[in-house]
């Protein structure tokens, strides 16, 4: 569904009312936006009480579902009545505010705009972030570092494999998702173990709670979508600092990320094609798919639709994308547009050859892998749709959060793809 521009403007007005006059005023503004879009008529009757919120990724087990909805058993025999337009608008408003992390009953004094983030939730069924650092084999190092520039300060962790003895090696920059940290992301993606096998450095920049209270990379802020500004400058600066400190093969520097980290990896790779040779994205969004919080929510929920004004700069780099088709946090349409955007931004992208194959993981998920290449076979992009997977790193370890061990190994496939483009 394509949202009209005037509806987005009204949603922004709802956000302002939420800050100034509280949830009731925001609900009214959202109802008006829905009515203007033809999704619901103007509500004039008194609104019913807010309905209980449901998790964005409902637990699959019926017992868990009943535990979350204790009142459901009492009315199980009666068919649920379709919601009235007014109730639908109320539910939408409550969902809108809950996804923005606004507790029920919070008024203007409880709303902290500077630390506002998306998403601000924990899907059930996933582990909490790991507190202990991953195991480091003999001879390897997992060390702390700090980078500072005009945009601020970010810490990071750098993995140096045991095979390093002064020789030049590739560098992979890994951007964690919301609520995660470098230790958790390293444990979940198992990228350090692959660094041992493939002989490469891996650096994990860490978002601060001061910049975002859920430690999300701020992919939806205008300042963080510009070269040499904001978070892109910090991430690129971390990569450059590692290059300066160690003998990195500068033709083999890559950036990858999950969710908000995936969206930021797209931004960084797009803005710094002179630094990064390729981009890996898991459950992310296209370049500049949002300019503020309402448009970020719209992109996550409904998908970033093709938009000529969101055209990525020419001279893009090869890209590999993973996305679960049961992802209810970041809509699959974002993956569709992301690979299309990434391919067409490269030289030869308009005449790319495309081929698809289906496969499956033993006792795991099925997937569809689509490759995009130039006439001479040079890779432009790969798109992996993982059937039945949600918002989680495919093939990851349950030692970290937001992982799904039933999927193809995204970490291994990313490194394999990176090797083909360097």
């Amino acid at each position: 569904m394509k949202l009209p521009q005037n509806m987005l403007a009204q949603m922004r007005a709802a956000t302002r009312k939420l800050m100034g006059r509280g949830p009731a005023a925001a609900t009214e503004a959202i109802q008006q936006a829905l009515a203007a879009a033809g999704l619901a008529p103007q509500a004039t009757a008194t609104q019913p009480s807010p309905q209980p919120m449901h998790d964005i990724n409902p637990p699959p087990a019926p017992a868990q579902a009943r535990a979350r909805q204790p009142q459901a058993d009492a009315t199980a025999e009666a068919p649920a009545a379709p919601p009235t337009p007014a109730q639908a608008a109320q539910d939408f408003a409550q969902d809108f505010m809950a996804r923005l992390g606004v507790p029920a009953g919070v008024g203007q004094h409880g709303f902290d705009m500077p630390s506002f983030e998306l998403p601000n939730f924990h899907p059930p069924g996933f582990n909490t972030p790991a507190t202990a650092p991953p195991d480091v084999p003999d001879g390897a190092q997992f060390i702390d570092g700090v980078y500072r520039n005009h945009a601020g300060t970010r810490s990071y962790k750098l993995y140096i494999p045991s095979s390093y003895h002064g020789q030049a090696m590739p560098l992979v920059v890994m951007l964690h998702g919301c609520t995660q940290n470098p230790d958790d992301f390293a444990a979940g993606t198992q990228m350090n173990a692959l660094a041992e096998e493939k002989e490469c450095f891996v650096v994990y920049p860490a978002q601060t709670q001061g910049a975002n209270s859920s430690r999300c990379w701020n992919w939806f802020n205008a300042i963080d979508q510009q070269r040499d500004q904001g978070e892109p400058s910090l991430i690129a600066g971390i990569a450059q600092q590692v290059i300066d400190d160690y003998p990195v093969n500068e033709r083999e520097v890559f950036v990858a990320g999950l969710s908000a980290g995936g969206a930021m990896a797209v931004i960084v790779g797009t803005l710094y094609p002179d630094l990064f040779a390729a981009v890996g994205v898991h459950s992310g969004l296209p370049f500049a798919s949002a300019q503020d919080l309402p448009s970020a929510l719209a992109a996550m929920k409904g998908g970033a639709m093709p938009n000529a004004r969101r055209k990525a700069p020419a001279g893009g780099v090869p890209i590999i994308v993973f996305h679960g088709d049961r992802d209810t946090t970041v809509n699959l349409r974002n993956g569709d547009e992301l690979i299309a955007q990434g391919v067409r931004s490269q030289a030869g992208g308009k005449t790319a050859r495309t081929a698809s194959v289906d496969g499956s993981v033993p006792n795991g998920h099925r997937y569809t892998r689509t490759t995009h290449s130039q006439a001479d076979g040079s890779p432009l992009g790969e798109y992996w749709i993982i059937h039945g997977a949600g918002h989680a790193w495919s093939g990851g370890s349950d030692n970290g959060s937001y992982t799904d061990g039933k999927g193809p190994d995204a970490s291994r496939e990313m490194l394999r793809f990176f090797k083909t483009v360097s």
Side-chain angles (χ1 to χ4, degrees), residues 320-412:
I320 181 170
V321 177
F322 288 80
H323 214 114
D325 64 6
R326 297 292 181 87
D327 190 333
T328 57
T329 301
V330 177
N331 193 290
L332 177 63
R333 284 193 289 268
N334 288 292
D336 298 341
E337 171 60 12
L338 176 52
I339 189 66
Q341 181 191 72
V343 169
R344 66 175 177 252
S345 70
Q346 300 175 63
K350 293 182 179 179
T351 58
R353 294 180 176 180
T354 302
S356 294
V357 295
D358 293 323
S360 63
V361 175
N363 300 316
H365 294 306
R366 294 180 301 106
Y367 59 84
T368 299
R369 171 178 173 248
T370 302
T371 59
H372 303 264
S373 59
Q374 299 187 42
D376 64 359
S378 300
L380 297 170
E382 280 189 23
Y383 185 27
W384 293 66
I385 298 177
I386 307 158
H387 305 297
H391 194 69
W393 190 272
S394 179
S397 166
D398 60 8
N399 289 328
S401 62
Y402 301 95
T403 61
D404 183 352
K406 293 183 178 181
D409 190 338
S411 297
R412 182 174 294 276

Side-chain angles (χ1 to χ4, degrees), residues 238-293:
I238 289 172
Q240 189 60 57
Q241 182 162 291
V242 175
I243 293 170
D244 293 342
D245 292 344
Y246 295 88
V248 171
N249 184 337
E250 296 187 38
R251 297 180 60 185
E252 297 184 78
V253 180
F254 313 102
V255 59
L258 169 66
S259 192
M264 184 55 71
V266 174
I267 292 172
V268 174
T270 299
L271 297 178
Y272 295 89
D274 52 329
L275 179 59
F276 297 102
V279 177
V281 186
H282 204 311
S283 309
L285 297 97
F287 176 78
S289 52
Q291 296 75 45
D292 51 26
L293 294 165

Side-chain angles (χ1 to χ4, degrees), residues 1-367:
M1 178 185 68
K2 184 177 181 180
L3 298 179
Q5 289 298 318
N6 61 339
M7 182 181 179
L8 290 177
Q10 288 170 303
M11 295 294 283
R12 295 186 180 95
T15 303
R16 290 193 294 271
K17 288 188 177 183
L18 178 60
M19 289 186 288
R21 293 162 52 193
T27 299
E28 179 183 358
I30 294 172
Q31 289 172 350
Q32 294 171 357
L34 291 172
L39 301 177
Q42 290 280 8
T44 56
T46 302
Q47 303 300 321
S49 300
Q51 299 298 305
M53 289 302 301
H54 300 290
D55 285 317
I56 56 165
N57 285 312
Q64 290 176 286
R66 286 195 297 271
R68 283 200 160 275
Q69 302 175 29
Q71 298 179 352
D73 293 339
T75 59
E77 296 181 0
T84 65
Q87 184 176 342
Q90 177 77 8
D91 289 345
F92 186 93
Q94 293 296 326
D95 181 66
F96 173 76
M97 290 181 283
R99 287 171 185 266
L100 299 182
V102 183
V106 171
Q108 66 185 70
H109 300 297
F111 197 81
D112 182 15
M113 188 66 176
S115 63
F116 205 69
E117 70 285 324
L118 284 171
N120 189 19
F121 37 67
H122 263 302
F126 294 104
N127 299 327
T128 55
T131 55
D135 292 335
V136 177
D138 290 343
Q141 300 179 70
F142 200 25
I143 61 176
D144 296 308
V146 176
Y147 175 76
R148 299 178 177 85
N149 70 6
H150 64 279
T153 301
R154 292 295 185 276
S155 63
Y156 61 85
K157 296 201 74 170
L158 174 66
Y159 187 80
I160 304 172
S162 60
S163 58
Y164 172 66
H165 300 291
Q167 75 276 27
M169 295 195 301
L171 170 65
V172 180
V173 179
M174 293 286 287
L175 302 178
H176 63 72
C178 297
T179 76
Q180 295 182 313
N181 58 48
D183 286 332
D184 175 40
F185 199 41
T189 62
Q190 303 179 91
M191 194 61 82
N192 289 357
L194 282 171
E196 283 291 321
E197 179 184 332
K198 303 297 183 181
E199 299 189 357
C200 63
F201 300 108
V202 187
V203 66
Y204 301 84
Q207 178 64 302
T208 66
Q209 286 191 299
N212 186 291
S213 63
S214 285
R215 297 193 297 274
C216 307
W217 297 100
N218 292 301
W219 56 274
F220 49 85
N221 285 343
I223 192 66
D224 297 307
Q225 297 174 1
Q226 301 176 41
R227 184 180 172 107
D228 299 332
Q229 299 293 327
E231 291 173 3
S233 73
L234 289 163
I235 295 165
I238 289 172
Q240 189 60 57
Q241 182 162 291
V242 175
I243 293 170
D244 293 342
D245 292 344
Y246 295 88
V248 171
N249 184 337
E250 296 187 38
R251 297 180 60 185
E252 297 184 78
V253 180
F254 313 102
V255 59
L258 169 66
S259 192
M264 184 55 71
V266 174
I267 292 172
V268 174
T270 299
L271 297 178
Y272 295 89
D274 52 329
L275 179 59
F276 297 102
V279 177
V281 186
H282 204 311
S283 309
L285 297 97
F287 176 78
S289 52
Q291 296 75 45
D292 51 26
L293 294 165
S295 60
L297 179 66
M300 291 173 62
K301 181 69 174 177
M305 304 303 291
N307 186 336
R309 291 182 297 178
R310 196 179 59 243
K311 181 179 179 181
V317 297
I319 184 170
I320 181 170
V321 177
F322 288 80
H323 214 114
D325 64 6
R326 297 292 181 87
D327 190 333
T328 57
T329 301
V330 177
N331 193 290
L332 177 63
R333 284 193 289 268
N334 288 292
D336 298 341
E337 171 60 12
L338 176 52
I339 189 66
Q341 181 191 72
V343 169
R344 66 175 177 252
S345 70
Q346 300 175 63
K350 293 182 179 179
T351 58
R353 294 180 176 180
T354 302
S356 294
V357 295
D358 293 323
S360 63
V361 175
N363 300 316
H365 294 306
R366 294 180 301 106
Y367 59 84

